[in-house]
Amino acid sequence: FLMIRRPPRSTPKPSSAASDVYKRQELTISKNGDLLNVEIIHSSGNSRFDSAAQRATQRANFPRAPSSFNKEKKTFKIKLIL
């Protein structure tokens, strides 16, 4: 699976935000490109960023897996940085 493009930044980074603010998520995507599950592994501690990241993930368009992919779904762990 490849993410085709990064969604545009919808929430500007506050100037007071620390440089190491990040959120980790685990995504499960079907071979058809449907998002099946999103689980927060590590919260950033910034509820606005966490919510924006969750919404962006849920609105993302994931591509279909290549025909050579023989599983029904794939789970990824990603790090989203503010």
Side-chain angles (χ1 to χ4, degrees):
F1 291 106
L2 296 173
M3 217 168 168
I4 293 178
R5 64 183 171 145
R6 183 183 76 151
R9 182 181 285 271
S10 61
T11 307
K13 181 177 178 177
S15 58
S16 61
S19 60
D20 60 347
V21 175
Y22 68 93
K23 174 184 179 181
R24 285 192 187 275
Q25 295 184 143
E26 184 174 277
L27 314 176
T28 303
I29 303 169
S30 75
K31 68 179 179 180
N32 293 326
D34 297 323
L35 180 65
L36 301 175
N37 188 44
V38 180
E39 183 179 335
I40 298 171
I41 298 171
H42 177 305
S43 170
S44 70
N46 179 320
S47 62
R48 286 184 63 200
F49 173 64
D50 286 353
S51 294
Q54 190 82 5
R55 284 190 308 274
T57 301
Q58 291 168 339
R59 288 192 308 245
N61 293 317
F62 298 98
R64 294 177 63 90
S67 58
S68 60
F69 186 75
N70 59 4
K71 297 181 182 177
E72 290 299 312
K73 60 187 176 183
K74 174 75 175 163
T75 300
F76 300 88
K77 291 183 182 175
I78 62 170
K79 182 177 181 178
L80 302 163
I81 302 169
L82 178 61

